[in-house]
């Protein structure tokens, strides 16, 4: 694992931790628009892994995997910051879905069906599902948004993909929001509850969830986006 000079063997470490890069990329891609390519994230992540191998010092008192994860995620985020990765149109579409869900929840006093949300938006079900896939990255819940003090341009990337522990854990640190979020998740349709549990509690990526539920990855992406819209709409009431 180490060379004669006491440094990490680059080739061995690249081989050993390349699955880590893929796992982090799969988890991050679910929070990003469809325009972001998984392969691009993996490629950038491998560069981050290479840098981690070169910079790692065993005397720092931290495990290499922890150190590498931070470097890999940081490399991916830097790449996203440099690109026009989210359009204003996508952000507007997310808000339109969220507002439609909120109106229906107020009117029906239950979680609206997918077809009902589509009708509220004045579009067919297929078009609505396509829109869900398009806005998959405009997520999750963060206190600035819920309280109406968020800024669409400043810090958006950091809130959504900067640190997995802050999404959604940063929100959950507030006890009132924790209770509200738990209650909102319990009110999701059963399949969407399963998806949220597997994704956020068990750290499964969309491909893995799709395999468990026996549907396509794109369908899981749609349902995940819809779940986020439901939660955001519900949490704005608190």
């Amino acid at each position: 694992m180490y060379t004669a000079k006491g440094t990490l063997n680059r080739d061995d470490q690249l081989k050993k931790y390349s699955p880590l890069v893929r796992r982090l990329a799969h988890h991050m891609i679910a929070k990003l628009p469809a325009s972001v390519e998984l392969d691009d994230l993996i490629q950038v992540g491998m560069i981050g892994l290479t840098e981690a191998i070169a910079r790692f010092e065993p005397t720092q008192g931290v495990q290499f995997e922890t150190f590498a994860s931070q470097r890999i995620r940081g490399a991916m985020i830097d790449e996203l910051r440099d690109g026009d990765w989210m359009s204003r149109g996508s952000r507007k579409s997310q808000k339109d879905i969220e507002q439609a869900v909120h109106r229906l929840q107020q009117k029906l006093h239950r979680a609206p069906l997918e077809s009902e949300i589509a009708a509220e938006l004045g579009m067919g079900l297929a078009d609505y599902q396509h829109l869900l896939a398009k806005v998959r990255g405009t997520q999750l819940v963060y206190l600035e948004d819920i309280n109406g003090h968020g800024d669409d341009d400043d810090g958006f990337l950091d809130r959504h993909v900067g640190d997995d522990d802050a999404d959604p854990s940063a929100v959950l640190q507030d006890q009132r929001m924790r209770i509200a979020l738990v209650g909102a998740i319990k009110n999701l349709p059963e399949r969407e509850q399963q998806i949220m549990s597997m994704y956020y509690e068990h750290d499964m990526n969309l491909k893995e969830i799709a395999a468990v539920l026996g549907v396509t990855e794109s369908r899981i992406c749609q349902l995940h986006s819809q779940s986020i819209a439901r939660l955001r709409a519900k949490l704005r009431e608190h």
Side-chain angles (χ1 to χ4, degrees), residues 8 19 35 57 104-105 113 159 164 172 182 199 205 213:
L8 290 172
S35 58
E57 294 288 344
L104 288 169
Q105 286 178 168
L113 302 174
R159 288 198 298 268
D164 284 349
L172 296 182
V182 169
Y199 185 79
N205 61 51
L213 297 182

Side-chain angles (χ1 to χ4, degrees), residues 1-3 5-13 17 52-58 64 67:
M1 182 173 294
Y2 289 90
T3 66
K5 295 182 179 180
T7 58
L8 290 172
N9 185 294
R10 178 177 175 276
D11 291 340
D12 287 349
Q13 294 299 94
Y17 288 101
I53 294 170
R55 294 172 179 267
F56 181 68
E57 294 288 344
F64 176 73
F67 179 79

Side-chain angles (χ1 to χ4, degrees), residues 28 41 44 72-82 157-158 161-163:
M28 187 176 288
L41 279 184
V44 173
I72 292 165
R73 191 180 291 111
M76 293 177 181
I77 292 172
D78 286 345
E79 179 68 14
L80 291 168
R81 283 199 182 99
D82 290 340
L157 183 64
D158 296 290
V161 300
D163 184 344

Side-chain angles (χ1 to χ4, degrees), residues 66-102:
T66 301
F67 179 79
S69 295
Q70 294 172 344
R71 287 281 176 175
I72 292 165
R73 191 180 291 111
M76 293 177 181
I77 292 172
D78 286 345
E79 179 68 14
L80 291 168
R81 283 199 182 99
D82 290 340
D84 184 16
W85 66 280
M86 179 176 291
S87 68
R88 289 184 177 271
S90 292
R91 300 184 200 182
K92 181 181 183 302
S93 294
Q94 180 217 359
K95 289 183 179 180
D96 289 343
I97 295 171
E98 181 185 333
Q99 290 168 359
V101 169
H102 179 72

Side-chain angles (χ1 to χ4, degrees), residues 16-131:
K16 180 177 180 180
Y17 288 101
S18 59
L20 173 63
V21 174
R22 295 191 63 85
R23 180 168 62 84
L24 292 173
H26 272 286
H27 199 265
M28 187 176 288
I29 198 73
K31 306 172 187 178
L32 300 169
S35 58
V36 179
E37 295 289 339
L38 177 64
D39 287 345
D40 291 341
L41 279 184
I42 292 174
Q43 183 177 1
V44 173
M46 290 300 295
I47 294 174
L49 174 58
T50 301
E51 293 177 350
I53 294 170
R55 294 172 179 267
F56 181 68
E57 294 288 344
T59 56
Q60 292 175 335
V62 62
Q63 292 185 343
F64 176 73
E65 182 169 341
T66 301
F67 179 79
S69 295
Q70 294 172 344
R71 287 281 176 175
I72 292 165
R73 191 180 291 111
M76 293 177 181
I77 292 172
D78 286 345
E79 179 68 14
L80 291 168
R81 283 199 182 99
D82 290 340
D84 184 16
W85 66 280
M86 179 176 291
S87 68
R88 289 184 177 271
S90 292
R91 300 184 200 182
K92 181 181 183 302
S93 294
Q94 180 217 359
K95 289 183 179 180
D96 289 343
I97 295 171
E98 181 185 333
Q99 290 168 359
V101 169
H102 179 72
R103 290 193 299 270
L104 288 169
Q105 286 178 168
Q106 295 296 308
K107 177 182 178 181
L108 302 172
H109 303 291
R110 61 168 172 81
L113 302 174
E114 199 169 10
S115 58
E116 292 171 333
I117 300 172
E120 180 70 16
L121 289 167
M123 59 179 61
L125 182 59
D127 289 336
Y128 171 59
Q129 291 174 340
H130 177 74
L131 186 63

